[in-house]
Amino acid sequence: KDPVAVLGGHEKKATFATFHPCADGVIASCSWDLTLRLWDVQQGEKQRVNLSDQAFHVAWSPNGESIAVTTKDKQLVVMDPRQPSSAVSMDIHEGARATKLCWIG
């Protein structure tokens, strides 16, 4: 079968990809190129967000109104995918292990 779409744009290997929990054909992906990209499968790249370091985990909120990323430099970035410039970044734990995130509620 032929793919529905080819989402080219990351300059290095993609490390995460996750579908939006409510909107059809919307995907978030992270890459070693230190970017988070929000894709509309039908349109191609929609948004690009620069990250401070490599992404360790990415997750949509259950209602899809927010997306969060944890990075290697121990940052948690939370943003509204419709307005990536609204991103809020904060320090997380000081441990040596990679981080994961989970939305509660």
Side-chain angles (χ1 to χ4, degrees):
K1 283 187 159 182
D2 291 329
V4 173
V6 176
L7 304 175
H10 282 297
E11 297 168 11
K12 294 187 178 178
K13 179 181 177 180
T15 53
F16 294 99
T18 181
F19 284 92
H20 191 282
C22 304
D24 289 336
V26 176
I27 301 171
S29 64
C30 290
S31 166
W32 291 115
D33 66 5
L34 308 183
T35 63
L36 165 70
R37 297 186 188 230
L38 304 171
W39 306 88
D40 180 324
V41 172
Q42 302 301 320
Q43 306 280 330
E45 184 178 347
K46 185 175 184 182
Q47 306 259 354
R48 173 189 167 132
V49 178
N50 292 321
L51 301 172
S52 59
D53 207 338
Q54 297 166 353
F56 275 164
H57 199 237
V58 61
W60 293 97
S61 63
N63 62 7
E65 290 182 2
S66 298
I67 190 164
V69 181
T70 60
T71 60
K72 185 177 179 180
D73 62 354
K74 306 298 182 196
Q75 293 290 302
L76 169 65
V77 181
V78 181
M79 72 188 79
D80 179 335
R82 297 162 295 208
Q83 296 178 331
S85 62
S86 69
V88 175
S89 180
M90 61 200 81
D91 293 330
I92 50 179
H93 76 86
E94 295 294 324
R97 293 184 178 238
T99 54
K100 301 286 184 193
L101 66 99
C102 178
W103 291 88
I104 299 174

